[in-house]
Structures are given as C-alpha cells and as structure tokens.
Amino acid sequence: MQSPDHIIIGSGINALVAGALLSLKGKRVLLLERNDVAGGCLRTEEITLPGFRHDVMAATWVLFMTSPAGAALGPHLARHGFDYCHTKHPTAVLRPDGSALVLTTDRAANVATFNALAAGDGDRHAADTGGIEGEAPFLFSLLGGDLWSWPTAKLLLGQARKRGPRGLAAWFGSALAPARGWLETGYQSPLVQALFAPWVLHCGLTPESTYSGKMGQVVAFALEAAGAPVVKGGSGRAVDAFTALIREKGGDIRTGADVDEITTSGNRVTGVRLASGETIAAPSVLASVAPGQLANRLLRASAAPETKAAAKSFRHGRGNFQLHYALDRHPEWLTAGLDDVALIHLADGIDSVSKASNEAERGQLPATPTICVGQPHRLDPTRCPDGRAILWLQIPDAPRHVKGDAAGEITTNGWDAATREAFADRIEAILAAHIKDFAAIKLARRAYSPADLESLNINLVGGDPYGGLCSIDQFFLFRPFADAPKLPKGLTMIGASTHPGPGLGGGSGFIAAKRLGA
C-alpha cells in the first residue's frame, strides 16, 4: 500500500473500530500488531481439544452491539460475516445453597419475579432500569462520548437549565453512590442483590467503589434490553470481519510487527520504527497501549517529563483469571433453569463479592472467588462438536501479584504453573458442586493466570483487563491522567486506558476516528 495516512499501534477493539471508520472515509490505515494473531483480547482458539473453539479472553458483545461504533459499523461488518447469537436469559446468579435467580430480556417478567421474592423489589427494578432508559441521552453521552467537546458542554448546560444547578448537583451526587448502597437500600431480596452485585466487577469496580451503583444500573438495563450476545464463530470471527472491511477499503493489518518506537521530529510525529529496524512514515499515529508502554517504551526521550511522571503514578487494577473447559456433554446443573443462561455468576451476595475483591486487591488468592460461567455453545452450537459443550470461566478478582492465599491452603510462588493450577482446582471444586457428574463429563481444561494473560497481551499489565484502575480519580475527565497527556502533534492515545474506559464498546477508537474526520 501507499504511505499510510494513519498508523494504528495494536489491533484490539478500539484499534479495529478506529481503523474501520477511517478506512470508510477513504483514509489509508495500517494497523501494526506485535503478536502473530490480530485482535488483542479478541481471540478464538482450540486451546483444549481439536474442534472446541474457545474465546480465550473477551466473549460478550452487548457493549459493541449497543454502541455508536456498533451502529455505524454493523452493516459493513455484516457483509463480511459478522453476526450475533443470543439467548433470552442473559445472566443469572447461583448461590452456594443452590438457590438461583435468572434475569430475562422481558422487563415485565423480571418485575413479577422480583416482586414475588420481596414486595417492591420488582417495582424498584422497573424504576431503576426505566430511569436509565429515560436519562439515556445524557448518561450515555457522559459514559461514552467525547467529554472535551462542545456537544457535551451544551448537554451539561441543557441539563443545568432543565434540572437547575442544585438538581444537576444532586443527580451527580446520586450517580456517585456505590453499588452496596444502591442494592442494600433498594432491594430486600438477597437473591436480587446477589444477581447484580458481581456485575460491578466487570466494570473494574467493587461494590464499595464510587459510582459503581450507577454502573450496576446501566449493566442491568443493557442486559435486559439487549441480552449478552456472542459473535457467531467466536470473537476471533469479529476480528476477521474487521480485517476484511479494512482491507476492502485499501487499508491493512500486519501481524508480527512490533513497534519499537514512535518517531518524531521537533514536536510532531513522523511515523514508527519496528523492532526489525523497518521505519514507516505517517503524519498520524494512534497508539492503543497502556500509559507505561507509551511513555517509557514508544516515546522514550521524546516523552514530556509530565507525561512520564503521570504514567509512573498510573495505577492498574486487579488481575483476571480465565478457565476453559471442554465437556463431553452439556452440563446438567443441579439447580433448574440455568441451561440456556449466557453468563452465570457463582456468588453468595454483596459481602462475598466484596470479600473476594478485597482479598485480591491485597495480593491474596480469594478463598471463595466470584466466578462468572459462560455457556457459549448454548448460544452458538458451532463452537464445539455436536453433543459436546464448552464452558468459559472468568474470575474478575484475581491478584495481579500473588502475596499469599486467603484460605491458607495454597503455597504460592508468584503466578507460577503450580499456583495457577491449584487456584484452578479451587475454582473447579466450586463449579463441580453445582453440576451433576462434572468429573465424568470433563474432557479437558485450560487455565490462564494474570501473568499468562499479560504474556498474551502486553497491555494487560499484571493481568488487568480494564486498562488501569477504574476508580473515580482515573476515570471520566481523569482518564488516563488528571491533566491531559502532553503528546507530540499527530499522536493520539486510544484503548482501555483512555476515556471511556474498558469493554468492547470501541468508544475511544470511535471518538478518536471522529476527531480525525471519520
């Protein structure tokens, strides 16, 4: 291809979204991926047995399906084979005593079920999800839009006129409430509390985190409205569709192309230099990387002292642990009603979620981790041979660096293979207690510790899948830094470490592409 208009470092969801949108506007884009496989956290591979295709990391696409990026790119990606698979039962919670609660995509059914558990709980759910629906234009502009823009300023001014200054301040105050406060004051049923409490972990938060209550409500609304879809054929199939679209429009994605340095002249980007020594010129570079990678490796001496200092103080969150199973048949849950649920959390309630996440933040292997169990083959039978099954397990409260075991049972030596497999044994014992004859139907398993995940993707620092701690001081206007990073002209930082943060919404790639004229 000719010299590119834009070089994009990385090939995760934000890089793919930016590349596709710019390509559709006639810009020549070149995505450079250091690994041998494109996609970042979007990988579908036969990691257990032949014929069993597992999403190694990211799996659920509700954020992309409901995002501005998804709306803009959906028809184009569909031409290249991108398609969703759904279930009417997006999520459930399964408690240690075997009690369970399933959320459906039917609000009236959810309201009736919740009210039957505790008078008023269903009505409160209707008010919470209806409230998110009613304030969606304002809320989702804050959560996913360009905060430093005139449209956002006009939106805030309009809300101030509508609500009054005190009313707007009151709204922000309530929006900052933690999930524990939201759930304990709003719902009487422990099952309803347990259903929603684990979801804040998927936002990089805990039940005690500021604004985790509002994020829990947003998740509840999104799951009920759009479900928990997966991509037919796996998340890797989505990467294939993005790649085909970008190449169709004259762009390219190169794998095995490790960018060693972003080159500059004066205070302007001139292109990149690969680890192989090859240089590629371009007036614009988008870097989908963590702050430490950008400041200390890619920019090096050209990084402003303020940027290096800010990157040094940037904090990463808990690690992630992935566990995958190939099964001889579909698991027979001992609790009825879970067969077709997309994502099941094994958790007792707010306190168990809080305890496990706190243990992980202190470097301990949680004694009873919060476990998210996905059943992708129930949505997409192409994932495994007929009659067989796969399970996708994510433990969102693993320590980045292991200091010990909260249960005092596992002798730890960092995230070595023995520690990884011992922790996987603990998770499997919890899972097996809820599935009939689990040992008999288990064909194979594959575990990935936080250290393993970082080896797969350099941006998963310590296995943190959220691009950095998502506490209020590192989010919204303050992501990635409290002050705007001082970058060379022509360089744009994107990815989970930038606003609007983690997830498969592609938000930062969308915002960057729009700023660049897409």
Side-chain angles (χ1 to χ4, degrees):
M1 66 179 292
Q2 297 177 315
S3 178
D5 298 308
H6 303 280
I7 290 174
I8 303 177
I9 302 173
S11 63
I13 186 62
N14 287 289
L16 293 169
V17 164
L21 288 170
L22 290 167
S23 294
L24 286 167
K25 282 294 182 179
K27 302 297 183 180
R28 295 185 300 275
V29 300
L30 174 62
L31 278 70
L32 300 172
E33 169 57 54
R34 70 193 307 268
N35 290 321
D36 293 333
V37 178
C41 291
L42 308 176
R43 299 176 67 151
T44 305
E45 299 173 355
E46 296 180 346
I47 55 175
T48 55
L49 293 171
F52 293 80
R53 296 183 54 76
H54 304 265
D55 284 337
V56 179
M57 291 175 274
T60 304
W61 284 76
V62 61
L63 291 181
F64 184 76
M65 189 178 75
T66 57
S67 72
L73 293 172
H76 301 284
L77 295 171
R79 290 191 292 105
H80 295 286
F82 187 111
D83 194 13
Y84 295 110
C85 299
H86 299 268
T87 173
K88 294 180 179 179
H89 308 104
T91 191
V93 66
L94 177 58
R95 302 178 74 199
D97 64 3
S99 61
L101 177 60
V102 177
L103 184 79
T104 77
T105 52
D106 182 335
R107 181 175 298 174
N110 293 329
V111 169
T113 298
F114 292 5
N115 275 334
L117 290 169
D121 276 12
D123 299 328
R124 176 60 189 262
H125 172 71
D128 285 341
T129 52
I132 296 297
E133 193 171 30
E135 64 192 19
F138 175 49
L139 179 60
F140 288 106
S141 292
L142 294 179
L143 291 175
D146 187 349
L147 295 180
W148 294 104
S149 66
W150 178 236
T152 299
K154 287 195 297 184
L155 188 71
L156 286 170
L157 288 171
Q159 288 293 314
R161 285 194 296 267
K162 176 183 177 182
R163 302 172 187 263
R166 292 288 298 178
L168 185 58
W171 184 90
F172 276 108
S174 65
L176 295 177
R180 180 180 288 277
W182 163 52
L183 292 171
E184 288 186 338
T185 62
Y187 296 93
Q188 300 178 62
S189 168
L191 266 173
V192 177
Q193 294 176 358
L195 176 67
F196 294 126
W199 276 102
V200 303
L201 302 179
H202 298 277
C203 302
L205 303 170
T206 73
E208 284 76 32
S209 297
T210 302
Y211 80 91
S212 60
K214 183 62 70 175
M215 293 306 298
Q217 294 173 33
V218 169
V219 170
F221 167 75
L223 290 169
E224 186 178 76
V230 299
V231 173
K232 187 174 184 179
S235 291
R237 185 66 194 89
V239 179
D240 295 340
F242 272 103
T243 301
L245 174 60
I246 290 169
R247 286 177 174 162
E248 176 188 67
K249 299 301 179 182
D252 197 13
I253 298 179
R254 287 176 54 182
T255 57
D258 184 9
V259 176
D260 184 59
E261 185 177 5
I262 296 171
T263 58
T264 60
S265 178
N267 191 38
R268 177 166 288 280
V269 161
T270 59
V272 300
R273 181 180 296 109
L274 304 185
S276 65
E278 178 186 359
T279 59
I280 306 173
S284 169
V285 174
L286 291 79
S288 185
V289 297
Q293 280 292 315
L294 184 64
N296 300 321
R297 178 172 181 256
L298 296 177
L299 286 177
R300 297 180 188 166
S302 62
E306 300 93 332
T307 299
K308 283 202 168 187
K312 185 177 180 181
S313 65
F314 187 81
R315 308 187 320 281
H316 283 276
R318 297 180 303 281
N320 209 255
F321 193 98
Q322 297 283 151
L323 188 56
H324 302 273
Y325 287 95
L327 304 180
D328 191 46
R329 63 179 184 270
H330 180 65
E332 185 179 342
W333 295 93
L334 298 179
T335 299
L338 300 176
D339 282 357
D340 294 322
V341 177
L343 296 168
I344 304 166
H345 283 111
L346 307 186
D348 192 40
I350 303 171
D351 289 342
S352 75
V353 173
S354 179
K355 179 177 181 291
S357 59
N358 181 266
E359 288 168 347
E361 288 183 348
R362 292 186 285 110
Q364 302 292 304
L365 298 174
T368 307
T370 303
I371 304 170
C372 182
V373 183
Q375 306 183 98
H377 68 285
R378 297 296 287 187
L379 285 70
D380 177 12
T382 69
R383 300 291 185 94
C384 56
D386 288 346
R388 305 293 177 88
I390 61 174
L391 293 181
W392 172 97
L393 273 66
Q394 182 185 69
I395 293 77
D397 47 18
R400 292 176 56 235
H401 305 293
V402 181
K403 299 177 183 178
D405 177 26
E409 299 169 348
I410 299 173
T411 301
T412 63
N413 183 27
W415 274 119
D416 62 1
T419 300
R420 179 191 65 210
E421 295 306 317
F423 190 51
D425 288 342
R426 174 175 295 170
I427 296 161
E428 183 173 312
I430 296 171
L431 174 70
H434 294 285
I435 296 174
K436 182 180 179 180
D437 298 329
F438 184 80
I441 67 172
K442 184 180 79 170
L443 297 175
R445 87 175 185 194
R446 177 73 178 271
Y448 292 86
S449 73
D452 295 327
L453 296 176
E454 183 175 4
S455 71
L456 291 176
N457 187 329
I458 198 171
N459 286 323
L460 303 182
V461 180
D464 169 17
Y466 303 112
L469 198 65
C470 296
S471 55
I472 191 67
D473 62 304
Q474 285 193 170
F475 219 69
F476 300 110
L477 294 173
F478 317 117
R479 196 167 188 87
F481 311 133
D483 194 11
K486 294 175 172 57
L487 303 179
K489 294 179 180 177
L491 175 59
T492 303
M493 186 178 179
I494 61 173
S497 297
T498 65
H499 178 75
L504 292 185
S508 66
F510 181 85
I511 292 170
K514 291 299 181 182
R515 283 180 179 174
L516 293 170

